[in-house]
Amino acid sequence: MTASQHDARAAHLAQINVATLRYPLDDPRMAPFVELLDPVNAAADGTPGFVWRLAEEGAADATALRPAGEDVIVNMSVWETQEALWDFTYRSGHLDVMRRRREWFERHVDAHLVLWWVPAGHLPTVGEALERLADLQAHGPSPRAFTFASSHTAAEAAQHLQAPSPQSVPAPRSARPPQSTASPAV
């Protein structure tokens, strides 16, 4: 086994995307989106390669968390591979929701999605994620912060895989506990 093969198995892909609400979540125009939250999150939780997603303590999702502004919601998750995240994003019912996003969210001028590699077992903080998004917005894609269109492998990002100190790692709720990397999901 080469070092890069070992690095790839020892890393997971983290992502955050932000969306600026057109209307408050309790506005009737947002009802179709709100109704889709549970089914889409359940689909993510059951997708092969899913590891973890951010959810507010005591809630099923992260829509009440507003670390990027009062009218901005965040979605953050960790996946075993980029392919697993791609398949969920573009080859599942999630795609139907994405096609309707202009009904519910403003168009972003800057990057609103960032991907980065984390050590397997590390759950990124929202602060860490927003810092990666800011890095992408300020400097463009790199092995440290990238997009699907400008992706990098875990081996290419190896120097950026250092996890923050344990005290900065959150204890957010997950729909499913992190999976072992000993045997990947099929």
Side-chain angles (χ1 to χ4, degrees):
M1 175 185 307
T2 68
S4 64
Q5 288 170 323
H6 176 72
D7 289 344
R9 282 209 316 269
H12 285 158
L13 186 71
Q15 72 81 29
I16 190 168
N17 62 78
V18 298
T20 303
L21 298 166
R22 293 184 67 150
Y23 316 101
L25 279 179
D26 60 358
D27 186 293
R29 293 170 285 192
M30 294 298 290
F33 171 75
V34 172
E35 290 168 4
L36 290 167
L37 284 170
D38 286 343
V40 169
N41 285 335
D45 296 350
T47 298
F50 169 83
V51 175
W52 169 87
R53 70 178 164 82
L54 179 67
E56 182 185 21
E57 185 67 37
D61 59 51
T63 55
L65 301 175
R66 302 297 170 90
E70 203 47 45
D71 61 344
V72 178
I73 60 174
V74 299
N75 172 287
M76 186 165 81
S77 57
V78 176
W79 297 78
E80 289 179 354
T81 65
Q82 183 171 334
E83 293 77 20
L85 175 57
W86 175 270
D87 285 347
F88 169 72
T89 304
Y90 295 106
R91 294 188 176 128
S92 75
H94 180 265
L95 183 58
D96 295 332
V97 176
M98 286 183 45
R99 287 182 176 134
R100 295 182 64 190
R101 69 185 176 273
R102 297 290 172 252
E103 293 176 39
W104 309 308
F105 306 110
E106 300 293 340
R107 180 181 287 286
H108 281 267
V109 176
D110 292 325
H112 63 280
L113 164 80
V114 66
L115 309 173
W116 73 102
W117 293 101
V118 297
H122 170 67
L123 301 180
T125 65
V126 173
E128 177 185 343
L130 292 176
E131 188 277 325
R132 297 289 177 135
L133 182 59
D135 184 277
L136 177 67
Q137 291 170 340
H139 306 290
S142 71
R144 189 172 188 286
F146 53 93
T147 66
F148 280 124
S150 62
S151 66
H152 291 272
T153 66
E156 291 170 324
Q159 70 181 4
H160 305 289
L161 285 177
Q162 297 80 16
S165 60
Q167 62 267 26
S168 67
V169 176
R173 189 170 111 21
S174 171
R176 192 167 81 195
Q179 297 174 341
S180 165
T181 57
S183 60
V186 287

